[in-house]
Amino acid sequence: MSQTQAAPVVELPPGVVALIPMRNLVLFPQVLAPVSVGRAKSVAALEHALASETQVGIVLQKEPREDDPSVDGLCVVGTLAKVVHHVEQQQGLHHAVCQGMQRFRIVGPAEGYPFLAARIEPLVEAADASAEAEALALQLRERSVELLSLLPSVPAELVHALQTTRGPAQLADITASIIDAEVNEKQALLEMTTTQDRVRRLLPLLSHRIEVLRLSREIGERTKEQIDDRQRKFMLREQLKTIQQELGETDDNDAEVARLDEAITKAAMPPDIETHARKELRRLQSMSDASGEYSMLRTYLEWMVELPWATPAETPIDLAAARQTLQADHFGLDRVKQRIVEFLAVRKLNPLGRAPILCFVGPPGVGKTSLGQSIAKALQRPFVRVSLGGVHDEAEMRGHRRTYIGALPGNIMQGLRKAGARDCVMMLDEVDKLTASAHGDPSAALLEVLDPEQNNSFRDNYLGVPFDLSRVVFIATANVIDNVPAPVRDRMELIDIPGYTQEEKLQIALTYLVPRQREANGLREGQCQLTTEALQAIVANYTREAGVRQLEREIGRAMRHAAMKVAEGSADAVHIDAQDLDTILGPVKFEREVALRSSVAGVATGLAWTPVGGDILFIEATRVNGSGKLTLTGQLGDVMKESAQAAFTLVKSRAADLQVSPTAFDSIDLHLHIPAGAIPKDGPSAGVAMFVALASLFTDRPVRHDVAMTGEISLRGLVLPVGGIKEKVLAAQRAGLRTVLLPQRNLKDLREVPESARAGMQFVGLETVDDAIRTAFADTSDSESSNDGRPGR
């Protein structure tokens, strides 16, 4: 095959150069730049420069879209370039690396060549060695290096070139080539032949570009952090989903939202509250289930849909059935039952009326809570008990705000959720045990709950919406009403439930306690028989309480003994009589020590009221040689100490009537003691008993052992009325006392004492302490009659 002969090299006259038009490239002197050409004339110009080893002119064309521009379509100023490297591609493209050498100006076109050619004149730039030029060059170098530090992937050679270039003109050209500016802006810089003008034009462009790059870097870093965090969360969520799928714990967010939406519809909320709930539901729907607020908001909505918002249907009240329920569930308490039936009658006639809030006040174990359950049974409503004992934080009543971790609604709303009905019977148990603290006063929050004028829009802090409590039947219980704040007490109707008599306890044991304990211990009716005498002995010798809780515990012990015998097979049926109790329950716990205590002068039996019912107390007085001082022991309160001082003064003032020498008080010290020294005692009720004990001591006459007394005294010798008469009389009956001395003005209170308790007792009204002395002091005949068990006079 013959080889193709190379085309002869065209020689250009002096001052004429081949031109390569560029669409978007401006080449500056002293700068290396890649050049790509594909148009025929441009390729011919490049090949001519390579063949002739001459320079070629790189010129920007005025119109980038023009494919075949003429010399007139080119910019006037261009750059003479030396082709350093050349590569030809198969697609007809030629790539060359050109180095700018010198500016030139086009004088006119040169025709007759296969490429664009023009006559040119070189542009020579005069050197400027002034101080201003040097300062501008220094500023330009610093800005250029700063710009390169912000650019990614900058060659180290370029940085070195900037730092080592000393000429301001060359530095300006290198900087202009690396700056990111419009092509027309770069062409304007190329056409500037004065170095200072070029530098002044470059510095603002550099400052703007540096600021843009800084902001771009900051935005990029922030975006990268967000993307990294988002990617990390995405990966964790995907891993969590995979783990949940493996464990079978997948929870579809859409299904959860649909379930809550349906529950909101069924909850029958008021319109404004339903609007609020659906707004929260939309927030939940827009959240990711991995968000911390998601679970908090879902818990809130679950509370909202589970509360009883719907208006309850009216249920008829059967008063006859209510009486039967109360009679079947409770023994005695006739006045209390009558008040409950009246309460139910008002509810029947006016269901939407604002009935009073009942508060059962009495010692533990008398049936306050069970009375509330009976009321709920009679009303055919659910019953819920809210225990307030020990509550010291207002948030436990009103709820915690949702901003706190672990926040929950208050006890009232929790009780309503548990009851599942807006018209339930809610028992506020132990309202006297509420205590204020640094977290607020819960009794103050209770005011709104118990006020019929306000509780129709009760607002719980957790829910944040009003709730109507007007249909709830509130019943409160307390042991000591004095501990309840006066504003709370003012909103309730107090119903006293005192202790039971021994006969009532016996009937309660036979009717309720024995069958209940027999069933609790797995015994049938014929497998264990507790005789009436055994129950009487348990009541008298193993319990001393106002209620029946300890009595039930002792009966339970006897039943467990029988259950053991039956389970072992040693007996098919167990019969327990009074004489068997010592073996089963141990020795008696309470003896009638009144006779032992009263066998000497200076001892009197008083009656006291306690939060757990009435009780007896012994006042013991003795004298020793001394100087007339009075010593009081037994943990006495201030009121009782004052009663002791008044009794001592009253004895001194009546020394003549008592046939005591007035000088007998000067040479002795008097010691007054009330046993059970570990128990604090206070109150004015022991005034009469203290006076009688001191009078007995100084007259050497013992007090009858079957006599108990109560009453406050004055310095004139009057006996003043006191409270708690029923509890005190029952305490005297439990202790086996037959005669009770009490203020004359308290005799009317005996109507509250059951007839069975009054039948075997004698009551003496006292106007003055002289009446107490006449009845309390024993002579020989009285002691004998009392020992025979007959009531004294």
Side-chain angles (χ1 to χ4, degrees):
M1 293 179 63
S2 61
Q3 295 182 349
T4 304
Q5 297 294 324
V9 177
V10 178
E11 293 194 14
L12 297 177
V16 176
V17 296
L19 301 179
I20 299 178
M22 304 303 298
R23 298 179 191 270
N24 54 6
L25 174 66
V26 175
L27 182 64
F28 287 88
Q30 311 302 322
V31 175
L32 285 171
V35 174
S36 298
V37 295
R39 291 177 288 189
K41 290 184 178 181
S42 298
V43 172
L46 181 62
E47 290 177 343
H48 172 267
L50 289 170
S52 61
E53 297 183 355
T54 57
Q55 296 178 353
V56 64
I58 305 297
V59 188
L60 180 69
Q61 63 185 63
K62 296 177 181 179
E63 182 57 49
R65 291 188 295 272
E66 189 174 353
D67 290 332
D68 188 16
S70 63
V71 174
D72 294 334
L74 303 179
C75 293
V76 178
V77 178
T79 304
L80 289 174
K82 176 183 177 182
V83 180
V84 178
H85 184 68
H86 171 254
V87 176
E88 181 180 357
Q89 300 290 339
Q90 294 180 356
Q91 291 83 2
L93 288 176
H94 291 254
H95 301 282
V97 176
C98 300
Q99 181 177 10
M101 302 303 292
Q102 186 182 10
R103 287 176 173 81
F104 69 86
R105 183 189 306 276
I106 296 177
V107 176
E111 304 293 343
Y113 300 101
F115 44 78
L116 280 178
R119 299 190 306 277
I120 65 168
E121 61 177 358
L123 296 177
V124 180
E125 187 173 355
D128 188 355
S130 64
E132 182 181 3
E134 186 177 355
L136 287 172
L138 180 62
Q139 185 73 14
L140 181 63
R141 180 180 289 106
E142 292 177 354
R143 294 292 181 88
S144 301
V145 172
E146 185 179 0
L147 176 66
L148 291 180
S149 66
L150 295 173
L151 290 174
S153 305
V154 176
E157 294 81 2
L158 182 57
V159 179
H160 178 71
L162 278 175
Q163 293 174 343
T164 56
T165 301
R166 295 302 176 188
Q170 292 83 356
L171 184 63
D173 288 338
I174 295 174
T175 304
S177 67
I178 63 175
I179 193 171
D180 186 12
E182 294 291 334
V183 176
N184 294 332
E185 186 72 31
K186 288 190 174 185
Q187 180 64 30
L189 289 171
L190 181 67
E191 293 176 0
M192 291 181 179
T193 57
T194 305
T195 303
Q196 291 188 19
D197 293 342
R198 210 157 57 242
V199 173
R200 290 191 182 97
R201 183 73 175 266
L202 273 172
L203 287 176
L205 293 175
L206 278 174
S207 299
H208 174 72
R209 188 59 188 164
I210 288 171
E211 187 64 27
V212 170
L213 288 174
R214 281 177 180 169
L215 291 175
S216 177
R217 174 174 286 188
E218 292 178 3
I219 293 171
E221 290 176 353
R222 288 199 300 266
T223 305
K224 184 176 183 299
E225 291 176 358
Q226 293 174 357
I227 291 174
D228 290 345
D229 184 62
R230 197 173 295 119
Q231 288 177 345
R232 185 178 66 85
K233 291 182 178 179
F234 174 77
M235 292 177 62
L236 290 175
R237 290 193 193 102
E238 292 299 319
Q239 292 174 1
L240 179 61
K241 289 180 181 178
T242 304
I243 293 172
Q244 289 176 339
Q245 289 174 357
E246 292 294 330
L247 296 176
E249 297 177 356
T250 54
D251 186 12
D252 191 357
N253 189 14
D254 295 336
E256 181 72 18
V257 171
R259 182 185 67 83
L260 289 172
D261 181 72
E262 184 181 359
I264 291 174
T265 304
K266 292 181 179 179
M269 301 177 183
D272 54 338
I273 297 176
E274 183 175 351
T275 301
H276 170 76
R278 294 196 179 279
K279 178 181 177 182
E280 296 295 323
L281 183 64
R282 287 193 296 271
R283 284 185 57 214
L284 181 72
Q285 191 173 10
S286 63
M287 289 181 184
S288 167
D289 56 0
S291 170
E293 192 178 359
Y294 181 88
S295 59
M296 183 268 295
L297 188 55
R298 184 175 66 176
T299 303
Y300 171 76
L301 289 172
E302 286 176 351
W303 270 101
M304 290 287 287
V305 300
E306 290 176 6
L307 287 175
W309 298 97
T311 303
E314 294 296 334
T315 53
I317 299 176
D318 190 344
L319 294 181
R323 280 196 179 93
Q324 292 177 0
T325 300
L326 292 171
Q327 204 64 33
D329 293 345
H330 304 277
F331 184 85
L333 305 177
D334 294 332
R335 291 187 59 191
V336 177
K337 293 177 182 176
Q338 181 63 27
R339 179 63 188 91
I340 291 174
V341 172
E342 294 172 357
F343 173 82
L344 297 177
V346 173
R347 280 279 179 177
K348 179 177 182 179
L349 296 177
N350 188 11
L352 301 180
R354 293 170 178 172
I357 296 171
L358 304 180
C359 179
F360 298 140
V361 182
V366 295
K368 300 186 294 295
T369 303
S370 58
L371 279 171
Q373 293 172 339
S374 298
I375 293 176
K377 190 186 300 183
L379 289 171
Q380 300 180 34
R381 297 184 182 183
F383 175 82
V384 62
R385 175 178 170 269
V386 177
S387 179
L388 303 181
V391 173
H392 62 278
D393 189 350
E394 182 182 355
E396 295 187 50
M397 300 300 300
R398 285 190 175 273
H400 302 78
R401 301 191 185 278
R402 280 194 287 159
T403 53
Y404 298 107
I405 296 175
L408 284 174
N411 290 338
I412 302 298
M413 303 312 295
Q414 290 186 36
L416 281 172
R417 181 194 188 189
K418 181 180 178 181
R422 210 177 81 190
D423 61 345
C424 65
V425 176
M426 181 175 291
M427 173 156 283
L428 304 176
D429 211 6
E430 312 290 355
V431 293
D432 56 331
K433 306 301 189 302
L434 291 171
T435 55
S437 68
H439 302 288
D441 187 358
S443 62
L446 200 61
L447 293 176
E448 183 181 357
V449 176
L450 298 180
D451 192 344
E453 300 291 337
Q454 302 180 35
N455 63 9
N456 59 349
S457 59
F458 175 74
R459 183 179 291 270
D460 187 276
N461 289 333
Y462 179 81
L463 300 178
V465 294
F467 192 93
D468 186 4
L469 298 177
S470 60
R471 303 296 296 274
V472 179
V473 178
F474 289 104
I475 299 173
T477 70
N479 295 133
V480 184
I481 197 61
D482 295 338
N483 296 339
V484 179
V488 178
R489 192 164 59 241
D490 181 63
R491 283 164 168 76
M492 301 184 294
E493 178 182 344
L494 307 182
I495 299 178
D496 289 322
I497 304 178
Y500 297 107
T501 65
Q502 292 190 3
E503 288 75 12
E504 288 174 336
K505 289 182 179 180
L506 177 61
Q507 294 301 322
I508 292 172
L510 289 170
T511 308
Y512 306 103
L513 304 184
V514 170
R516 188 159 65 196
Q517 284 299 319
R518 184 188 292 125
E519 181 181 356
N521 288 280
L523 295 171
R524 294 190 298 273
E525 185 173 357
Q527 291 180 320
C528 181
Q529 291 294 329
L530 265 173
T531 64
T532 303
E533 291 76 12
L535 290 173
Q536 289 175 335
I538 293 175
V539 171
N541 301 329
Y542 290 90
T543 64
R544 185 163 292 173
E545 58 178 344
V548 292
R549 286 182 180 167
Q550 184 62 30
L551 174 59
E552 184 171 9
R553 282 191 284 267
E554 298 297 336
I555 293 174
R557 289 180 62 188
M559 290 294 178
R560 287 193 295 274
H561 173 80
M564 182 185 66
K565 295 288 187 184
V566 173
E568 291 176 345
S570 57
D572 295 332
V574 179
H575 183 84
I576 300 177
D577 209 344
Q579 59 268 22
D580 302 323
L581 296 179
D582 185 75
T583 303
I584 300 172
L585 304 181
V588 296
K589 298 179 180 179
F590 301 98
E591 295 181 352
R592 296 189 178 183
E593 54 183 348
V594 177
L596 299 176
R597 293 273 186 165
S598 303
S599 60
V600 295
V603 179
T605 305
L607 297 174
W609 179 92
T610 70
V612 295
D615 200 359
I616 64 171
L617 52 84
F618 299 100
I619 291 91
E620 300 176 348
T622 188
R623 54 188 172 180
V624 295
N625 293 331
S627 57
K629 293 189 299 182
L630 174 63
T631 301
L632 304 174
T633 57
Q635 280 212 55
L636 308 185
D638 292 337
V639 177
M640 189 169 278
K641 288 178 181 178
E642 292 174 358
S643 296
Q645 293 283 357
F648 189 29
T649 302
L650 189 57
V651 169
K652 288 182 179 180
S653 67
R654 293 176 175 265
D657 297 337
L658 297 173
Q659 298 179 357
V660 178
S661 172
T663 60
F665 303 101
D666 300 331
S667 59
I668 58 99
D669 285 342
L670 188 64
H671 189 164
L672 195 66
H673 177 69
I674 301 180
I679 302 175
K681 311 170 190 69
D682 202 3
S685 300
V688 171
M690 288 180 174
F691 172 80
V692 171
L694 293 176
S696 170
L697 176 66
F698 285 105
T699 59
D700 290 324
R701 298 171 64 189
V703 179
R704 288 171 50 189
H705 68 270
D706 64 341
V707 173
M709 58 203 76
T710 184
E712 182 180 359
I713 60 172
S714 70
L715 292 179
R716 294 178 296 162
L718 299 177
V719 179
L720 306 179
V722 292
I725 295 299
K726 180 177 180 180
E727 290 83 356
K728 293 175 181 178
V729 171
L730 295 178
Q733 186 212 29
R734 289 196 297 268
L737 300 169
R738 292 292 178 262
T739 303
V740 177
L741 312 184
L742 66 162
Q744 181 70 33
R745 282 183 281 177
N746 280 127
L747 290 178
K748 64 181 184 300
D749 299 323
L750 293 175
R751 288 178 296 179
E752 298 180 1
V753 181
E755 181 63 33
S756 59
R758 286 184 289 164
M761 302 181 70
Q762 180 184 0
F763 302 93
V764 178
L766 306 179
E767 291 281 356
T768 65
V769 292
D770 298 328
D771 299 332
I773 291 176
R774 282 193 294 269
T775 308
F777 286 163
D779 53 26
T780 305
S781 60
D782 287 337
S783 299
E784 292 174 356
S785 66
S786 297
N787 288 333
D788 292 338
R790 296 189 297 272
R793 294 173 295 178

